[in-house]
Amino acid sequence: MIDPLFISAFVMGLLGSGHCLAMCGGIASSLQLAANKNRAVSFSVAYNLGRALSYMLAGALVAGISSRFAAQNTTISIALSFLSGIFMLLVGVYIMRLAATLQWLEKLGKTLVWQHLAKLNRYLLPVDTTPKALLYGALWGWLPCGLVYSALTWALTSPSTLHGAGVMLFFALGTFPAMISVGLVSQKINAIFNHVWTRVILGSVIIWYGIYLLIIATDKLVH
């Protein structure tokens, strides 16, 4: 049976695809346009697989660190559960575009990580082979993204590095449908995900899930 957290991570990736398109859609689309028609799909799949590998590595790292502390102290475990719920609320508001609730986190990631990794782009351009597309996706998987950081708070609650990597794998898989097809039907997909009611519905689902996580964390604290 698939872990419920994996399913939740997949759904989060699926619901947050609109944000992924805004952050990385242009890159994915340009890869497909740059490749000939026979290789467009393989380039796109390779790019997204690379992105998923980076997410999994990040998930394994944060889960490996947090699981050691959480195993020694239940208070830390409960605090991490609260953190996950709070970030779900922030993601929901962010997707609905009611406030830039995660912009500060993306700026922090840009300062600490991305400004250094971005320099590696020059070694992969032009992206004219499938291996390059894979490595390019792996590099851009570290692009500061509030949605990814929020998914990582779920990985923080994982009991092991393998489980943390699994959470981020399923999150990445949830973003695949939109990201892989972006070059083929980009305008139509963007129109759907940027529609005000789409943002409201998707954001509301994530907010309600955040409330659910907070209720569970509160129950753990009380008992």
Side-chain angles (χ1 to χ4, degrees), residues 15-24 94-95 106 145-148 193:
L15 296 180
S17 292
H19 183 65
C20 293
L21 288 174
M23 295 288 288
C24 300
Y94 196 48
I95 288 177
E106 292 177 350
C145 173
L147 190 65
V148 175
F193 277 107

Side-chain angles (χ1 to χ4, degrees), residues 80-94:
L80 292 176
S81 297
F82 270 108
L83 183 65
S84 295
I86 291 171
F87 264 88
M88 286 305 99
L89 298 181
L90 295 177
V91 169
V93 173
Y94 196 48

Side-chain angles (χ1 to χ4, degrees), residues 127-143:
V127 182
D128 49 10
T129 65
T130 302
K132 274 190 174 183
L134 179 70
L135 292 174
Y136 198 58
L139 178 60
W140 279 82
W142 297 95
L143 179 72

Side-chain angles (χ1 to χ4, degrees), residues 4-79:
L5 187 58
F6 290 169
I7 297 175
S8 298
F10 176 82
V11 173
M12 179 183 173
L14 197 63
L15 296 180
S17 292
H19 183 65
C20 293
L21 288 174
M23 295 288 288
C24 300
I27 301 166
S29 182
S30 66
L31 283 177
Q32 293 193 14
L33 292 173
N36 60 52
K37 291 183 179 180
N38 295 328
R39 303 177 69 185
V41 175
S42 65
F43 272 39
S44 182
V45 171
Y47 170 82
N48 284 287
L49 284 176
R51 189 168 55 87
L53 288 173
S54 287
Y55 291 173
M56 291 172 66
L57 176 59
L61 287 173
V62 299
I65 295 172
S66 64
S67 60
R68 291 195 176 188
F69 290 102
Q72 299 172 4
N73 193 324
T74 54
T75 302
I76 293 178
S77 178
I78 295 173

Side-chain angles (χ1 to χ4, degrees), residues 111-134:
T111 301
L112 297 178
V113 180
W114 183 242
Q115 69 173 357
H116 305 292
L117 290 179
K119 297 175 183 177
L120 299 176
N121 276 328
R122 65 178 182 271
Y123 298 111
L124 297 173
L125 296 174
V127 182
D128 49 10
T129 65
T130 302
K132 274 190 174 183
L134 179 70

